[in-house]
Amino acid sequence: MTNTFCDDFRAMTAERMAGSMEDMTYAYEQTRVPKAHYRKMLATGIEQVMEASVEINLIQPYISIIKQMINENPKSFYKALLCIDAKVTMTTIRTSEWEALEDMWQSHQSKDDPNHGGHLPKATIDTFKDIAKHGLDQLSNELDDKQK
């Protein structure tokens, strides 16, 4: 069996790994990421790396529960979200607030609602997708340009 770059990479020092990673990144469309960045990332404590992994695993049950609630009763789910954001409690809800919840649900169901079919404003979803695709720095630059 032949030796692969990965086999050699594992045997390198962190300094040489960082240099190799810089070279590999440059090989992709001549993208420049300084060796110092990789050196810093390789020196990151395992606790910090594990923290992100643990958070991902904690979010999954929330997603499952929310999907189940939406599937079982989307109207109640929508009203519950609205109550949370509007700081309305079921123990102190007024008749006018209850009617407003129903009106908002009807409006949300309307084909004219720009968020029809979603639970968050379309602008929020669009911003999320922009950040995921282009990064926060580019989005900040675009917002700065629009403000000028």
Short mmCIF file of all heavy atoms in Angstrom, two decimals, residues 73-112:
data_model
loop_
_atom_site.label_atom_id
_atom_site.label_comp_id
_atom_site.label_asym_id
_atom_site.label_seq_id
_atom_site.Cartn_x
_atom_site.Cartn_y
_atom_site.Cartn_z
N ASN A 73 -49.49 20.69 15.27
CA ASN A 73 -50.41 21.82 15.33
C ASN A 73 -49.69 23.12 14.98
O ASN A 73 -49.27 23.86 15.86
CB ASN A 73 -51.03 21.90 16.73
CG ASN A 73 -52.23 22.82 16.76
OD1 ASN A 73 -52.33 23.76 15.98
ND2 ASN A 73 -53.14 22.56 17.69
N PRO A 74 -49.56 23.40 13.69
CA PRO A 74 -48.83 24.60 13.28
C PRO A 74 -49.44 25.90 13.81
O PRO A 74 -48.73 26.85 14.12
CB PRO A 74 -48.85 24.55 11.76
CG PRO A 74 -49.88 23.56 11.39
CD PRO A 74 -50.07 22.65 12.55
N LYS A 75 -50.76 25.93 13.93
CA LYS A 75 -51.43 27.14 14.41
C LYS A 75 -51.02 27.45 15.85
O LYS A 75 -50.64 28.57 16.17
CB LYS A 75 -52.95 26.96 14.31
CG LYS A 75 -53.75 28.15 14.77
CD LYS A 75 -55.25 27.87 14.59
CE LYS A 75 -56.09 29.04 15.00
NZ LYS A 75 -57.52 28.76 14.79
N SER A 76 -51.07 26.45 16.71
CA SER A 76 -50.69 26.66 18.11
C SER A 76 -49.21 26.99 18.23
O SER A 76 -48.81 27.82 19.06
CB SER A 76 -51.02 25.43 18.95
OG SER A 76 -52.41 25.27 19.04
N PHE A 77 -48.39 26.36 17.41
CA PHE A 77 -46.96 26.65 17.44
C PHE A 77 -46.71 28.11 17.07
O PHE A 77 -45.98 28.82 17.76
CB PHE A 77 -46.20 25.73 16.48
CG PHE A 77 -44.73 26.00 16.45
CD1 PHE A 77 -43.90 25.53 17.44
CD2 PHE A 77 -44.18 26.76 15.42
CE1 PHE A 77 -42.54 25.80 17.44
CE2 PHE A 77 -42.82 27.03 15.40
CZ PHE A 77 -42.00 26.55 16.41
N TYR A 78 -47.34 28.58 16.01
CA TYR A 78 -47.18 29.97 15.57
C TYR A 78 -47.64 30.93 16.67
O TYR A 78 -46.95 31.90 17.00
CB TYR A 78 -47.98 30.21 14.28
CG TYR A 78 -47.91 31.63 13.80
CD1 TYR A 78 -46.83 32.07 13.04
CD2 TYR A 78 -48.91 32.54 14.12
CE1 TYR A 78 -46.76 33.39 12.60
CE2 TYR A 78 -48.85 33.85 13.68
CZ TYR A 78 -47.77 34.27 12.93
OH TYR A 78 -47.70 35.58 12.51
N LYS A 79 -48.79 30.65 17.25
CA LYS A 79 -49.31 31.52 18.31
C LYS A 79 -48.38 31.51 19.53
O LYS A 79 -48.17 32.55 20.16
CB LYS A 79 -50.72 31.08 18.72
CG LYS A 79 -51.78 31.43 17.70
CD LYS A 79 -53.15 30.97 18.20
CE LYS A 79 -54.26 31.41 17.30
NZ LYS A 79 -55.59 31.01 17.83
N ALA A 80 -47.82 30.37 19.86
CA ALA A 80 -46.90 30.27 21.00
C ALA A 80 -45.66 31.13 20.74
O ALA A 80 -45.20 31.86 21.64
CB ALA A 80 -46.52 28.82 21.26
N LEU A 81 -45.11 31.06 19.53
CA LEU A 81 -43.94 31.89 19.20
C LEU A 81 -44.28 33.37 19.32
O LEU A 81 -43.50 34.16 19.86
CB LEU A 81 -43.46 31.60 17.77
CG LEU A 81 -42.68 30.32 17.53
CD1 LEU A 81 -42.30 30.22 16.06
CD2 LEU A 81 -41.43 30.27 18.39
N LEU A 82 -45.43 33.73 18.81
CA LEU A 82 -45.86 35.12 18.87
C LEU A 82 -46.02 35.57 20.33
O LEU A 82 -45.59 36.68 20.70
CB LEU A 82 -47.17 35.31 18.10
CG LEU A 82 -47.66 36.73 17.87
CD1 LEU A 82 -46.58 37.59 17.22
CD2 LEU A 82 -48.90 36.72 17.01
N CYS A 83 -46.60 34.72 21.16
CA CYS A 83 -46.77 35.06 22.59
C CYS A 83 -45.41 35.24 23.26
O CYS A 83 -45.24 36.17 24.07
CB CYS A 83 -47.55 33.96 23.30
SG CYS A 83 -49.32 34.01 22.95
N ILE A 84 -44.47 34.39 22.93
CA ILE A 84 -43.13 34.51 23.53
C ILE A 84 -42.50 35.85 23.14
O ILE A 84 -42.02 36.59 23.99
CB ILE A 84 -42.24 33.33 23.13
CG1 ILE A 84 -42.72 32.05 23.80
CG2 ILE A 84 -40.77 33.61 23.48
CD1 ILE A 84 -42.09 30.78 23.25
N ASP A 85 -42.52 36.16 21.85
CA ASP A 85 -41.90 37.41 21.39
C ASP A 85 -42.64 38.64 21.91
O ASP A 85 -42.02 39.67 22.19
CB ASP A 85 -41.82 37.44 19.86
CG ASP A 85 -40.67 36.63 19.32
OD1 ASP A 85 -39.84 36.15 20.13
OD2 ASP A 85 -40.58 36.45 18.10
N ALA A 86 -43.97 38.55 22.02
CA ALA A 86 -44.77 39.69 22.46
C ALA A 86 -44.90 39.74 23.99
O ALA A 86 -45.55 40.64 24.52
CB ALA A 86 -46.15 39.64 21.83
N LYS A 87 -44.30 38.76 24.66
CA LYS A 87 -44.34 38.67 26.14
C LYS A 87 -45.77 38.61 26.66
O LYS A 87 -46.14 39.28 27.63
CB LYS A 87 -43.56 39.81 26.76
CG LYS A 87 -42.07 39.73 26.41
CD LYS A 87 -41.30 40.88 27.00
CE LYS A 87 -39.83 40.86 26.70
NZ LYS A 87 -39.34 40.42 25.45
N VAL A 88 -46.59 37.78 26.01
CA VAL A 88 -47.96 37.55 26.42
C VAL A 88 -48.01 36.19 27.09
O VAL A 88 -47.48 35.21 26.55
CB VAL A 88 -48.92 37.57 25.19
CG1 VAL A 88 -50.32 37.13 25.58
CG2 VAL A 88 -48.92 38.95 24.55
N THR A 89 -48.62 36.12 28.26
CA THR A 89 -48.75 34.83 28.94
C THR A 89 -50.20 34.38 28.89
O THR A 89 -51.12 35.20 28.88
CB THR A 89 -48.29 34.90 30.41
OG1 THR A 89 -49.15 35.80 31.11
CG2 THR A 89 -46.84 35.35 30.52
N MET A 90 -50.41 33.09 28.89
CA MET A 90 -51.76 32.55 28.83
C MET A 90 -52.53 32.83 30.12
O MET A 90 -53.75 32.92 30.11
CB MET A 90 -51.73 31.04 28.57
CG MET A 90 -51.25 30.67 27.17
SD MET A 90 -52.34 31.27 25.87
CE MET A 90 -51.44 32.67 25.24
N THR A 91 -51.82 33.04 31.22
CA THR A 91 -52.51 33.31 32.48
C THR A 91 -53.04 34.74 32.56
O THR A 91 -53.98 35.00 33.32
CB THR A 91 -51.57 33.06 33.69
OG1 THR A 91 -50.40 33.85 33.53
CG2 THR A 91 -51.20 31.59 33.80
N THR A 92 -52.46 35.64 31.76
CA THR A 92 -52.90 37.03 31.82
C THR A 92 -53.38 37.56 30.47
O THR A 92 -53.57 38.77 30.31
CB THR A 92 -51.75 37.94 32.30
OG1 THR A 92 -50.66 37.84 31.38
CG2 THR A 92 -51.30 37.56 33.70
N ILE A 93 -53.60 36.67 29.51
CA ILE A 93 -53.98 37.12 28.17
C ILE A 93 -55.35 37.80 28.20
O ILE A 93 -56.27 37.36 28.87
CB ILE A 93 -53.95 35.95 27.15
CG1 ILE A 93 -54.04 36.51 25.73
CG2 ILE A 93 -55.02 34.92 27.46
CD1 ILE A 93 -53.66 35.51 24.66
N ARG A 94 -55.46 38.87 27.46
CA ARG A 94 -56.71 39.62 27.37
C ARG A 94 -57.43 39.18 26.09
O ARG A 94 -56.82 38.65 25.17
CB ARG A 94 -56.41 41.12 27.34
CG ARG A 94 -55.62 41.58 28.59
CD ARG A 94 -55.32 43.04 28.57
NE ARG A 94 -56.51 43.85 28.42
CZ ARG A 94 -57.27 44.30 29.44
NH1 ARG A 94 -56.94 44.00 30.67
NH2 ARG A 94 -58.33 45.05 29.21
N THR A 95 -58.71 39.44 26.03
CA THR A 95 -59.51 39.06 24.87
C THR A 95 -58.96 39.69 23.60
O THR A 95 -58.86 39.04 22.56
CB THR A 95 -60.99 39.47 25.08
OG1 THR A 95 -61.46 38.88 26.28
CG2 THR A 95 -61.85 39.03 23.92
N SER A 96 -58.55 40.93 23.68
CA SER A 96 -58.02 41.63 22.51
C SER A 96 -56.73 40.97 22.02
O SER A 96 -56.48 40.88 20.81
CB SER A 96 -57.78 43.11 22.82
OG SER A 96 -56.85 43.24 23.88
N GLU A 97 -55.90 40.50 22.95
CA GLU A 97 -54.66 39.82 22.58
C GLU A 97 -54.96 38.47 21.93
O GLU A 97 -54.30 38.07 20.96
CB GLU A 97 -53.75 39.64 23.81
CG GLU A 97 -53.21 40.96 24.33
CD GLU A 97 -52.55 40.82 25.69
OE1 GLU A 97 -52.99 39.97 26.50
OE2 GLU A 97 -51.59 41.58 25.94
N TRP A 98 -55.96 37.77 22.47
CA TRP A 98 -56.33 36.47 21.90
C TRP A 98 -56.84 36.65 20.46
O TRP A 98 -56.47 35.90 19.57
CB TRP A 98 -57.39 35.78 22.77
CG TRP A 98 -57.73 34.43 22.24
CD1 TRP A 98 -58.86 34.07 21.56
CD2 TRP A 98 -56.91 33.26 22.28
NE1 TRP A 98 -58.80 32.75 21.19
CE2 TRP A 98 -57.59 32.23 21.63
CE3 TRP A 98 -55.65 32.99 22.81
CZ2 TRP A 98 -57.09 30.94 21.48
CZ3 TRP A 98 -55.14 31.70 22.67
CH2 TRP A 98 -55.86 30.70 22.01
N GLU A 99 -57.66 37.67 20.27
CA GLU A 99 -58.15 37.95 18.92
C GLU A 99 -57.01 38.36 17.99
O GLU A 99 -56.99 37.98 16.82
CB GLU A 99 -59.23 39.03 18.96
CG GLU A 99 -60.54 38.54 19.51
CD GLU A 99 -61.61 39.61 19.54
OE1 GLU A 99 -61.42 40.69 18.94
OE2 GLU A 99 -62.66 39.35 20.17
N ALA A 100 -56.07 39.12 18.53
CA ALA A 100 -54.91 39.53 17.72
C ALA A 100 -54.09 38.31 17.31
O ALA A 100 -53.59 38.24 16.18
CB ALA A 100 -54.04 40.51 18.50
N LEU A 101 -53.97 37.33 18.20
CA LEU A 101 -53.26 36.08 17.85
C LEU A 101 -53.95 35.39 16.68
O LEU A 101 -53.29 34.93 15.73
CB LEU A 101 -53.22 35.13 19.04
CG LEU A 101 -52.22 35.41 20.15
CD1 LEU A 101 -52.42 34.42 21.29
CD2 LEU A 101 -50.79 35.33 19.63
N GLU A 102 -55.26 35.32 16.75
CA GLU A 102 -56.02 34.66 15.68
C GLU A 102 -55.88 35.43 14.37
O GLU A 102 -55.66 34.84 13.31
CB GLU A 102 -57.49 34.53 16.07
CG GLU A 102 -58.32 33.75 15.09
CD GLU A 102 -57.88 32.30 14.92
OE1 GLU A 102 -57.39 31.69 15.89
OE2 GLU A 102 -58.01 31.76 13.79
N ASP A 103 -55.95 36.76 14.45
CA ASP A 103 -55.80 37.58 13.25
C ASP A 103 -54.41 37.41 12.64
O ASP A 103 -54.27 37.32 11.41
CB ASP A 103 -56.03 39.06 13.57
CG ASP A 103 -57.49 39.36 13.92
OD1 ASP A 103 -58.37 38.53 13.59
OD2 ASP A 103 -57.73 40.43 14.52
N MET A 104 -53.39 37.36 13.50
CA MET A 104 -52.02 37.18 13.01
C MET A 104 -51.86 35.81 12.34
O MET A 104 -51.18 35.69 11.33
CB MET A 104 -51.01 37.34 14.15
CG MET A 104 -50.88 38.77 14.65
SD MET A 104 -50.32 39.93 13.38
CE MET A 104 -48.67 39.31 13.08
N TRP A 105 -52.47 34.79 12.90
CA TRP A 105 -52.40 33.45 12.30
C TRP A 105 -53.06 33.47 10.92
O TRP A 105 -52.50 32.93 9.96
CB TRP A 105 -53.07 32.40 13.20
CG TRP A 105 -53.24 31.09 12.50
CD1 TRP A 105 -54.41 30.53 12.08
CD2 TRP A 105 -52.21 30.19 12.09
NE1 TRP A 105 -54.16 29.34 11.45
CE2 TRP A 105 -52.82 29.10 11.44
CE3 TRP A 105 -50.82 30.20 12.21
CZ2 TRP A 105 -52.10 28.04 10.92
CZ3 TRP A 105 -50.10 29.13 11.68
CH2 TRP A 105 -50.73 28.06 11.05
N GLN A 106 -54.23 34.10 10.82
CA GLN A 106 -54.92 34.18 9.53
C GLN A 106 -54.07 34.93 8.52
O GLN A 106 -53.95 34.52 7.36
CB GLN A 106 -56.29 34.85 9.69
CG GLN A 106 -57.28 34.06 10.52
CD GLN A 106 -57.52 32.66 9.98
OE1 GLN A 106 -57.55 32.44 8.77
NE2 GLN A 106 -57.67 31.71 10.88
N SER A 107 -53.46 36.01 8.97
CA SER A 107 -52.58 36.79 8.10
C SER A 107 -51.38 35.96 7.66
O SER A 107 -50.96 36.01 6.50
CB SER A 107 -52.13 38.05 8.83
OG SER A 107 -51.19 38.75 8.06
N HIS A 108 -50.83 35.20 8.60
CA HIS A 108 -49.67 34.35 8.30
C HIS A 108 -50.02 33.29 7.27
O HIS A 108 -49.18 32.90 6.47
CB HIS A 108 -49.18 33.69 9.60
CG HIS A 108 -48.00 32.79 9.42
ND1 HIS A 108 -46.76 33.25 9.09
CD2 HIS A 108 -47.89 31.45 9.54
CE1 HIS A 108 -45.92 32.23 9.01
NE2 HIS A 108 -46.57 31.14 9.27
N GLN A 109 -51.26 32.83 7.27
CA GLN A 109 -51.71 31.80 6.33
C GLN A 109 -51.96 32.37 4.93
O GLN A 109 -52.05 31.63 3.96
CB GLN A 109 -53.00 31.15 6.84
CG GLN A 109 -52.78 30.30 8.06
CD GLN A 109 -51.79 29.19 7.79
OE1 GLN A 109 -50.65 29.28 8.20
NE2 GLN A 109 -52.19 28.19 7.07
N SER A 110 -52.09 33.68 4.85
CA SER A 110 -52.40 34.34 3.58
C SER A 110 -51.26 34.17 2.58
O SER A 110 -50.09 34.24 2.92
CB SER A 110 -52.63 35.83 3.83
OG SER A 110 -52.61 36.55 2.63
N LYS A 111 -51.62 33.96 1.35
CA LYS A 111 -50.63 33.85 0.28
C LYS A 111 -49.91 35.19 0.06
O LYS A 111 -48.84 35.24 -0.51
CB LYS A 111 -51.29 33.42 -1.04
CG LYS A 111 -51.95 32.06 -0.97
CD LYS A 111 -50.93 30.97 -1.09
CE LYS A 111 -51.63 29.63 -1.24
NZ LYS A 111 -51.15 28.62 -0.37
N ASP A 112 -50.51 36.29 0.53
CA ASP A 112 -49.89 37.61 0.39
C ASP A 112 -48.79 37.85 1.41
O ASP A 112 -48.01 38.78 1.27
CB ASP A 112 -50.95 38.71 0.52
CG ASP A 112 -51.99 38.64 -0.57
OD1 ASP A 112 -51.66 38.16 -1.68
OD2 ASP A 112 -53.14 39.04 -0.33
#
